[in-house]
Amino acid sequence: MTSIPARETLTVEFKSDPPAGLSDKTVVESVVGMTNAQGGVLYIGVDDDGGAGGVRSPKWSDPEKVTVFLAGQTVPPVVVRAETLYAENGLPVTAVYVPAGRGLTATKDGRVIQRRMKIDKTPENVPVYPQEY
């Protein structure tokens, strides 16, 4: 069992995998936001409060498929590393290790997003506007 951080930070993001499924767009935007900041780790199968609900979707439970999918949905391609971890409750969680980018990265559909800290010290992903380039 691997220890999963207790809370989100600028370099740690949690995404739960609900029964209806975790959307591709949500994961891609999280990766783009992280790579346009400092990089970090996206934990799929972890709720916002840090509780592990586990990965339900076959799409997000195969680290190799996650890696290939994310490279194909980002411009330039973000080469992540992914692995399956097991939370203290024994449920599987997919950890996606996102490198810091060397320039701006966009989603395949052209959205440029960056992970930043809000005034209350919680992280969020926000659009990057042309004047910020």
Side-chain angles (χ1 to χ4, degrees):
M1 289 179 271
T2 300
S3 178
I4 294 170
R7 64 181 180 84
E8 291 184 309
T9 66
L10 191 61
T11 59
V12 172
E13 185 166 5
F14 301 147
K15 290 295 173 199
S16 61
D17 189 8
L22 178 59
S23 79
D24 295 356
K25 179 180 177 182
T26 298
V27 175
V28 172
E29 288 183 355
S30 294
V31 168
V32 168
M34 290 184 110
T35 200
N36 283 335
Q38 298 174 7
V41 184
L42 169 63
Y43 293 92
I44 300 174
V46 178
D47 302 324
D48 286 343
D49 65 4
V55 176
R56 293 182 175 97
S57 169
K59 179 174 201 164
W60 304 118
S61 62
D62 182 334
E64 188 175 322
K65 287 181 181 177
V66 169
T67 301
V68 171
F69 174 76
L70 291 171
Q73 296 298 310
T74 52
V75 180
V78 177
V79 179
V80 301
R81 184 175 61 83
E83 68 176 331
T84 301
L85 305 177
Y86 292 90
E88 290 181 12
N89 62 10
L91 293 174
V93 170
T94 300
V96 181
Y97 302 92
V98 181
R102 295 185 180 192
L104 286 178
T105 299
T107 63
K108 192 174 181 180
D109 64 359
R111 296 200 64 212
V112 179
I113 299 154
Q114 186 177 53
R115 190 159 173 86
R116 298 182 185 163
M117 295 301 278
K118 295 188 285 188
I119 198 158
D120 67 357
K121 302 290 185 193
T122 59
E124 68 178 341
N125 287 326
V126 296
V128 177
Y129 296 104
Q131 66 269 22
E132 297 177 271
Y133 290 7

PDB file of all heavy atoms in Angstrom, residues 10 115-126:
ATOM      1  N   LEU A  10      -0.755  22.523  -5.064  1.00  0.00           N
ATOM      2  CA  LEU A  10      -0.460  22.946  -6.423  1.00  0.00           C
ATOM      3  C   LEU A  10       0.053  21.780  -7.264  1.00  0.00           C
ATOM      4  O   LEU A  10      -0.199  21.706  -8.457  1.00  0.00           O
ATOM      5  CB  LEU A  10       0.575  24.082  -6.416  1.00  0.00           C
ATOM      6  CG  LEU A  10       0.797  24.802  -7.738  1.00  0.00           C
ATOM      7  CD1 LEU A  10      -0.483  25.477  -8.226  1.00  0.00           C
ATOM      8  CD2 LEU A  10       1.906  25.830  -7.599  1.00  0.00           C
ATOM      9  N   ARG A 115      -2.650  25.418 -13.600  1.00  0.00           N
ATOM     10  CA  ARG A 115      -3.028  25.178 -12.205  1.00  0.00           C
ATOM     11  C   ARG A 115      -2.440  26.307 -11.362  1.00  0.00           C
ATOM     12  O   ARG A 115      -1.247  26.615 -11.455  1.00  0.00           O
ATOM     13  CB  ARG A 115      -2.488  23.818 -11.758  1.00  0.00           C
ATOM     14  CG  ARG A 115      -3.022  23.360 -10.412  1.00  0.00           C
ATOM     15  CD  ARG A 115      -2.875  21.849 -10.309  1.00  0.00           C
ATOM     16  NE  ARG A 115      -3.210  21.346  -8.997  1.00  0.00           N
ATOM     17  CZ  ARG A 115      -4.438  21.037  -8.608  1.00  0.00           C
ATOM     18  NH1 ARG A 115      -5.440  21.202  -9.455  1.00  0.00           N
ATOM     19  NH2 ARG A 115      -4.663  20.571  -7.394  1.00  0.00           N
ATOM     20  N   ARG A 116      -3.296  26.929 -10.560  1.00  0.00           N
ATOM     21  CA  ARG A 116      -2.877  28.042  -9.702  1.00  0.00           C
ATOM     22  C   ARG A 116      -3.535  27.906  -8.339  1.00  0.00           C
ATOM     23  O   ARG A 116      -4.508  27.194  -8.178  1.00  0.00           O
ATOM     24  CB  ARG A 116      -3.309  29.382 -10.317  1.00  0.00           C
ATOM     25  CG  ARG A 116      -2.678  29.658 -11.653  1.00  0.00           C
ATOM     26  CD  ARG A 116      -3.091  30.995 -12.171  1.00  0.00           C
ATOM     27  NE  ARG A 116      -2.574  31.195 -13.527  1.00  0.00           N
ATOM     28  CZ  ARG A 116      -3.008  32.102 -14.354  1.00  0.00           C
ATOM     29  NH1 ARG A 116      -3.971  32.925 -14.005  1.00  0.00           N
ATOM     30  NH2 ARG A 116      -2.485  32.226 -15.552  1.00  0.00           N
ATOM     31  N   MET A 117      -3.027  28.659  -7.403  1.00  0.00           N
ATOM     32  CA  MET A 117      -3.603  28.667  -6.056  1.00  0.00           C
ATOM     33  C   MET A 117      -4.586  29.837  -5.948  1.00  0.00           C
ATOM     34  O   MET A 117      -4.286  30.951  -6.359  1.00  0.00           O
ATOM     35  CB  MET A 117      -2.516  28.821  -4.995  1.00  0.00           C
ATOM     36  CG  MET A 117      -1.542  27.658  -4.930  1.00  0.00           C
ATOM     37  SD  MET A 117      -2.298  26.070  -4.599  1.00  0.00           S
ATOM     38  CE  MET A 117      -2.471  26.150  -2.839  1.00  0.00           C
ATOM     39  N   LYS A 118      -5.749  29.538  -5.349  1.00  0.00           N
ATOM     40  CA  LYS A 118      -6.735  30.586  -5.077  1.00  0.00           C
ATOM     41  C   LYS A 118      -6.316  31.326  -3.808  1.00  0.00           C
ATOM     42  O   LYS A 118      -5.400  30.893  -3.097  1.00  0.00           O
ATOM     43  CB  LYS A 118      -8.127  29.971  -4.880  1.00  0.00           C
ATOM     44  CG  LYS A 118      -8.673  29.314  -6.128  1.00  0.00           C
ATOM     45  CD  LYS A 118     -10.121  28.886  -5.960  1.00  0.00           C
ATOM     46  CE  LYS A 118     -10.224  27.646  -5.105  1.00  0.00           C
ATOM     47  NZ  LYS A 118     -11.595  27.083  -5.077  1.00  0.00           N
ATOM     48  N   ILE A 119      -6.994  32.399  -3.528  1.00  0.00           N
ATOM     49  CA  ILE A 119      -6.669  33.197  -2.355  1.00  0.00           C
ATOM     50  C   ILE A 119      -6.814  32.402  -1.054  1.00  0.00           C
ATOM     51  O   ILE A 119      -6.115  32.650  -0.079  1.00  0.00           O
ATOM     52  CB  ILE A 119      -7.503  34.501  -2.315  1.00  0.00           C
ATOM     53  CG1 ILE A 119      -6.865  35.493  -1.367  1.00  0.00           C
ATOM     54  CG2 ILE A 119      -8.945  34.223  -1.974  1.00  0.00           C
ATOM     55  CD1 ILE A 119      -7.250  36.912  -1.613  1.00  0.00           C
ATOM     56  N   ASP A 120      -7.710  31.395  -1.053  1.00  0.00           N
ATOM     57  CA  ASP A 120      -7.886  30.570   0.149  1.00  0.00           C
ATOM     58  C   ASP A 120      -6.882  29.420   0.235  1.00  0.00           C
ATOM     59  O   ASP A 120      -7.015  28.522   1.053  1.00  0.00           O
ATOM     60  CB  ASP A 120      -9.315  30.037   0.239  1.00  0.00           C
ATOM     61  CG  ASP A 120      -9.651  29.027  -0.854  1.00  0.00           C
ATOM     62  OD1 ASP A 120      -8.803  28.753  -1.732  1.00  0.00           O
ATOM     63  OD2 ASP A 120     -10.787  28.510  -0.827  1.00  0.00           O
ATOM     64  N   LYS A 121      -5.876  29.458  -0.637  1.00  0.00           N
ATOM     65  CA  LYS A 121      -4.779  28.473  -0.656  1.00  0.00           C
ATOM     66  C   LYS A 121      -5.201  27.094  -1.137  1.00  0.00           C
ATOM     67  O   LYS A 121      -4.549  26.099  -0.842  1.00  0.00           O
ATOM     68  CB  LYS A 121      -4.099  28.355   0.715  1.00  0.00           C
ATOM     69  CG  LYS A 121      -3.538  29.640   1.249  1.00  0.00           C
ATOM     70  CD  LYS A 121      -2.339  30.094   0.475  1.00  0.00           C
ATOM     71  CE  LYS A 121      -1.749  31.333   1.136  1.00  0.00           C
ATOM     72  NZ  LYS A 121      -0.802  32.000   0.304  1.00  0.00           N
ATOM     73  N   THR A 122      -6.313  27.020  -1.892  1.00  0.00           N
ATOM     74  CA  THR A 122      -6.706  25.771  -2.530  1.00  0.00           C
ATOM     75  C   THR A 122      -6.415  25.904  -4.016  1.00  0.00           C
ATOM     76  O   THR A 122      -6.497  26.995  -4.582  1.00  0.00           O
ATOM     77  CB  THR A 122      -8.201  25.441  -2.303  1.00  0.00           C
ATOM     78  OG1 THR A 122      -9.001  26.502  -2.827  1.00  0.00           O
ATOM     79  CG2 THR A 122      -8.492  25.221  -0.831  1.00  0.00           C
ATOM     80  N   PRO A 123      -6.062  24.809  -4.673  1.00  0.00           N
ATOM     81  CA  PRO A 123      -5.701  24.882  -6.092  1.00  0.00           C
ATOM     82  C   PRO A 123      -6.920  24.867  -7.009  1.00  0.00           C
ATOM     83  O   PRO A 123      -7.996  24.386  -6.644  1.00  0.00           O
ATOM     84  CB  PRO A 123      -4.862  23.626  -6.300  1.00  0.00           C
ATOM     85  CG  PRO A 123      -5.382  22.677  -5.270  1.00  0.00           C
ATOM     86  CD  PRO A 123      -5.821  23.497  -4.106  1.00  0.00           C
ATOM     87  N   GLU A 124      -6.730  25.407  -8.202  1.00  0.00           N
ATOM     88  CA  GLU A 124      -7.741  25.368  -9.247  1.00  0.00           C
ATOM     89  C   GLU A 124      -7.057  25.432 -10.600  1.00  0.00           C
ATOM     90  O   GLU A 124      -5.914  25.876 -10.711  1.00  0.00           O
ATOM     91  CB  GLU A 124      -8.733  26.529  -9.117  1.00  0.00           C
ATOM     92  CG  GLU A 124      -8.107  27.891  -9.396  1.00  0.00           C
ATOM     93  CD  GLU A 124      -9.095  29.041  -9.324  1.00  0.00           C
ATOM     94  OE1 GLU A 124     -10.309  28.811  -9.408  1.00  0.00           O
ATOM     95  OE2 GLU A 124      -8.629  30.178  -9.186  1.00  0.00           O
ATOM     96  N   ASN A 125      -7.766  24.977 -11.628  1.00  0.00           N
ATOM     97  CA  ASN A 125      -7.280  25.102 -13.000  1.00  0.00           C
ATOM     98  C   ASN A 125      -8.025  26.259 -13.653  1.00  0.00           C
ATOM     99  O   ASN A 125      -9.253  26.313 -13.592  1.00  0.00           O
ATOM    100  CB  ASN A 125      -7.534  23.815 -13.790  1.00  0.00           C
ATOM    101  CG  ASN A 125      -6.610  22.705 -13.362  1.00  0.00           C
ATOM    102  OD1 ASN A 125      -5.479  22.943 -12.999  1.00  0.00           O
ATOM    103  ND2 ASN A 125      -7.090  21.479 -13.381  1.00  0.00           N
ATOM    104  N   VAL A 126      -7.281  27.177 -14.254  1.00  0.00           N
ATOM    105  CA  VAL A 126      -7.883  28.353 -14.876  1.00  0.00           C
ATOM    106  C   VAL A 126      -7.345  28.522 -16.296  1.00  0.00           C
ATOM    107  O   VAL A 126      -6.227  28.086 -16.598  1.00  0.00           O
ATOM    108  CB  VAL A 126      -7.610  29.637 -14.055  1.00  0.00           C
ATOM    109  CG1 VAL A 126      -8.252  29.562 -12.682  1.00  0.00           C
ATOM    110  CG2 VAL A 126      -6.127  29.891 -13.913  1.00  0.00           C
TER     111      VAL A 126
END
